[in-house]
Amino acid sequence: HYHMPYWPEMGELLGCTQRLSWLLTRGKHRCDVAIVYPVAAVEADPERVKRAVRCAFETGEYLYAHAVDFDFIDFKSVERAKIVNGELQVAGERFLSIVIPDMQAVRFGMIKKLAEFAA
């Protein structure tokens, strides 16, 4: 609102935001770590899944607090990923490592792909 003390600066601020938004739409996001979202654990045992979900999110909070960029990934994305030059590549993303939270159940296709990635 024009009565606010920062009003005269809004043009510059919005211009900066516009330029930054444009820059952020260029290129592809790159991070080293993927955390498996525990979908299979939810399907297998809805009562015990809380531990897996808590582990996944606490791991994300830890990585974030230590300036490590990460993404959550689901089992279907892991299964369709390609392994190129030691990276797990899927949907324009490239991961050097993957974290599997404290899950009681996982999909066999994901385990197969992760075994290939580990090799």
Side-chain angles (χ1 to χ4, degrees), residues 14-57:
L14 293 174
C16 176
T17 303
Q18 182 180 18
R19 291 187 299 278
L20 182 57
S21 295
W22 180 85
L23 281 173
L24 290 173
T25 63
R26 301 301 177 251
K28 299 211 184 256
H29 180 225
R30 295 284 186 254
C31 65
D32 292 335
V33 180
I35 301 173
V36 175
Y37 192 82
V39 174
V42 172
E43 295 170 342
D45 191 350
E47 295 302 315
R48 293 171 55 185
V49 73
K50 292 176 185 164
R51 187 171 67 203
V53 172
R54 185 173 55 249
C55 180
F57 284 101

Side-chain angles (χ1 to χ4, degrees), residues 7-118:
W7 184 255
E9 318 307 326
M10 285 306 293
E12 288 294 318
L13 177 62
L14 293 174
C16 176
T17 303
Q18 182 180 18
R19 291 187 299 278
L20 182 57
S21 295
W22 180 85
L23 281 173
L24 290 173
T25 63
R26 301 301 177 251
K28 299 211 184 256
H29 180 225
R30 295 284 186 254
C31 65
D32 292 335
V33 180
I35 301 173
V36 175
Y37 192 82
V39 174
V42 172
E43 295 170 342
D45 191 350
E47 295 302 315
R48 293 171 55 185
V49 73
K50 292 176 185 164
R51 187 171 67 203
V53 172
R54 185 173 55 249
C55 180
F57 284 101
E58 285 176 358
T59 301
E61 289 172 4
Y62 178 86
L63 292 173
Y64 184 79
H66 290 84
V68 176
D69 193 13
F70 69 92
D71 277 337
F72 285 101
I73 191 169
D74 65 339
F75 70 91
K76 287 185 179 184
S77 297
V78 173
E79 289 174 352
R80 73 172 190 269
K82 298 196 181 326
I83 298 162
V84 180
N85 298 326
E87 298 175 329
L88 190 71
Q89 298 182 0
V90 62
E93 296 279 354
R94 298 172 182 213
F95 303 105
L96 297 175
S97 59
I98 189 161
V99 176
I100 304 170
D102 186 12
M103 296 168 61
Q104 297 296 318
V106 293
R107 300 273 182 159
F108 182 71
M110 185 177 86
I111 290 296
K112 255 175 62 174
K113 183 61 73 168
L114 292 178
E116 183 184 339
F117 180 48

